[in-house]
Amino acid sequence: MRKILKLTNRRNFLFGLSSLAAISAGVISRGFDRHQKIEALDHHQRDFTVSQGLSLKERAAKKGLIYGTTSTKKYLTSDPAYMAAIVENCRMFVPEWEFKWTAGNALLRPGFDRFDFSAADWIANFSATHQLLLRGHTLVWHSSLPKWFKETVNSENAEQLLQNHIQTFVKRYAGKIHSWDVVNEAIKTEDGRDDGLRITPWLNSLGTNYIDLAFRLTSAVDPQALLVYNDFGLDYDTPKDEAKRDAVLKLLAGLKSQGTPIHALGIQAHLSPGGNNKFNPEKLRQFLKDVASLGLKIMITEMDVTDKNLPVDIKVRDHIVAGVYEDYLATVLDEKAVIAVITWGLSDRYSWLSEFEPRGDGTPVRPLPLDTQMRRKLAWNAIARAFDNAPQR
Ligand code: G3I
């Protein structure tokens, strides 16, 4: 073990990850072995030191990269310390709720012909005030649709609805948006279609052409913005993720070949160490290369590392989470088509994982770069190190 730990940093990372998969399986299934295995991994010896001084956005910028995060008006207006941490660390901002049709306490689309821009406008002003590049997340998604959607939308009116949404909403912020997630999560190979498309209300009402249509409509209204296809489940060396990578690649290649104005792939990167989730840097690198060879940029759009299956000891947990951040980012940032890294939240005080992926033992989740008191965790150092070591864009 000691010899292995003295290898180059990169090889050290890879070793840590493959061991992590094995150990996490053990942690879950054989509690008895747990301490021995964790001690054997010796995470405490991994070095996450960083040079002091620069924030994440500054470290990213030095390499021609953008770092950002997501939040909501609700958290930003009630928590000045959190807002300050975001402004200090981030160059890019993604509204977690306000640009969706509806989410949390935001309702952009109260009815078929109706818009309420108040929350989205607040976000646009917040971003402009703090010189944050703004992402438009998301125009077409099967989730976060208002109640009336299901009752009202059919194959006769769906195109009119989509057209009106894009021509009204995108137009309002045109020229002010870095990138639009035009279509979100359209692939689900388990749905059993040959093309891998997820069966959604949009697919049902508009047919397979809905993706191309959404990109063309958006491009016509906001020709300056980067237009992105965004999806999750692309990260691991599992049959499921492999099938998804293949299906996404086919989708992107098909769109490019028919002239769809698509400019980038968003890889969400909601990472979940443990169980069967083995990380294979070579396979991920190849996927990124294949995407880049289509002439597309790549953004890491929603990164976080769930500690749901990790030991309760915070020191051990934080080391493992940090290792996953650094290993993943060291791999993806080698690909120069990757232009941005966004974490899905900045502080453990606010993470969707608290609600959607809580820990079995009831202890608070720790998936993000800052702790609940806005102090830097090892995950912060890990991201900083990945930026510091990334090749220049
Ligand atoms: O605020 C209400 C709360 O008052 C209520 O008690 C509770 C009951 O369920 O709901 C709360 O709102 C929820 C909110 O999250 C806060 O937890 C919304 O129902 C829920 O829609 C919202 O979920 C968001 C989710 O997308 C759906 O829009 C998450 O915040 C957000 O992090 C998540 O983000 C998605 C990306 O957009 C796409 N990729 C996956 C990612 C994670 O699921």
Side-chain angles (χ1 to χ4, degrees):
M1 169 71 86
R2 297 234 175 264
K3 265 186 193 163
I4 294 167
L5 286 169
K6 280 183 186 157
L7 292 175
T8 61
N9 276 353
R10 179 64 46 87
R11 289 182 64 191
N12 191 355
F13 304 159
L14 306 185
F15 172 75
L17 270 182
S18 56
S19 305
L20 176 57
I23 198 163
S24 297
V27 166
I28 299 156
S29 59
R30 294 188 302 277
F32 179 73
D33 289 344
R34 178 169 151 169
H35 292 297
Q36 275 170 310
K37 286 193 173 178
I38 288 165
E39 274 163 28
L41 247 185
D42 214 358
H43 284 291
H44 297 298
Q45 302 237 340
R46 185 163 167 172
D47 180 20
F48 291 105
T49 51
V50 282
S51 59
Q52 292 306 303
L54 298 183
S55 65
L56 290 182
K57 71 177 171 190
E58 289 164 334
R59 289 170 197 266
K62 275 179 87 173
K63 299 299 170 70
L65 285 159
I66 304 166
Y67 172 70
T69 197
T70 188
S71 191
T72 67
K73 178 185 172 192
K74 181 178 170 181
Y75 305 149
L76 292 169
T77 50
S78 61
D79 192 337
Y82 191 45
M83 191 197 272
I86 289 179
V87 172
E88 182 196 339
N89 279 290
C90 298
R91 172 76 177 111
M92 177 168 271
F93 185 77
V94 191
E96 196 169 355
W97 297 343
E98 293 79 0
F99 274 37
K100 294 172 179 173
W101 291 53
T102 185
N105 63 6
L107 178 57
L108 173 68
R109 297 302 313 269
F112 190 91
D113 292 316
R114 290 165 53 212
F115 292 80
D116 178 350
F117 295 117
S118 52
D121 280 354
W122 188 92
I123 292 286
N125 288 336
F126 163 74
S127 300
T129 303
H130 298 287
Q131 285 98 45
L132 290 157
L133 299 168
L134 183 56
R135 299 203 69 236
H137 173 79
T138 173
L139 299 173
V140 179
W141 192 22
H142 63 275
S143 183
S144 286
L145 293 169
K147 275 205 189 98
W148 57 261
F149 190 98
K150 207 173 161 193
E151 294 145 19
T152 320
V153 178
N154 55 46
S155 46
E156 264 84 69
N157 61 19
E159 185 165 342
Q160 182 202 342
L161 179 67
L162 180 63
Q163 199 169 325
N164 186 32
H165 186 71
I166 291 173
Q167 289 177 349
T168 309
F169 177 57
V170 172
K171 191 168 177 199
R172 187 172 182 89
Y173 305 104
K176 296 177 183 162
I177 302 292
H178 171 276
S179 44
W180 288 102
D181 284 340
V182 178
V183 177
N184 195 38
E185 303 173 4
I187 293 289
K188 186 177 179 192
T189 55
E190 301 94 309
D191 279 357
R193 292 172 52 96
D194 287 347
D195 56 12
L197 287 182
R198 183 191 291 268
I199 297 169
T200 75
W202 293 111
L203 181 74
N204 288 337
S205 53
L206 289 169
T208 55
N209 199 37
Y210 84 92
I211 299 177
D212 171 72
L213 177 66
F215 276 94
R216 286 183 198 275
L217 288 167
T218 309
S219 169
V221 179
D222 193 357
Q224 276 172 257
L226 204 69
L227 304 190
V228 183
Y229 172 73
N230 192 46
D231 215 330
F232 67 93
L234 300 166
D235 316 290
Y236 286 110
D237 189 4
T238 60
K240 190 175 169 186
D241 284 18
E242 179 117 38
K244 189 144 178 179
R245 284 193 291 273
D246 287 349
V248 165
L249 209 51
K250 279 193 192 115
L251 171 69
L252 298 175
L255 292 170
K256 284 297 286 182
S257 72
Q258 63 181 304
T260 305
I262 177 171
H263 310 126
L265 170 66
I267 296 178
Q268 294 186 9
H270 292 293
L271 302 183
S272 183
N276 296 322
N277 280 344
K278 274 181 287 160
F279 180 63
N280 182 329
E282 290 319 313
K283 284 198 179 170
L284 186 57
R285 262 196 200 101
Q286 186 57 52
F287 174 66
L288 302 175
K289 211 171 157 192
D290 292 342
V291 172
S293 71
L294 293 170
L296 296 171
K297 298 291 183 198
I298 299 164
M299 303 177 74
I300 306 302
T301 49
E302 304 184 12
M303 189 173 189
D304 50 20
V305 180
T306 175
D307 59 348
K308 187 182 178 185
N309 297 323
L310 301 182
V312 66
D313 183 320
I314 284 177
K315 218 171 164 191
V316 175
R317 226 197 296 171
D318 283 0
H319 269 83
I320 297 174
V321 166
V324 173
Y325 268 106
E326 190 169 353
D327 292 345
Y328 188 87
L329 288 176
T331 300
V332 298
L333 294 179
D334 269 351
E335 170 55 64
K336 291 201 183 174
V338 176
I339 58 167
V341 175
I342 296 139
T343 54
W344 208 238
L346 182 64
S347 151
D348 294 336
R349 195 179 286 183
Y350 304 105
S351 167
W352 71 292
L353 293 166
S354 310
E355 188 181 336
F356 290 78
E357 299 274 338
R359 288 175 55 81
D361 58 18
T363 58
V365 298
R366 299 176 64 83
L368 290 167
L370 303 181
D371 71 9
T372 55
Q373 302 308 305
M374 307 300 150
R375 292 175 300 219
R376 294 174 181 180
K377 291 163 58 198
L378 290 182
W380 189 98
N381 286 28
I383 298 169
R385 286 166 62 90
F387 290 152
D388 290 350
N389 293 326
Q392 187 73 46
R393 268 59 191 158

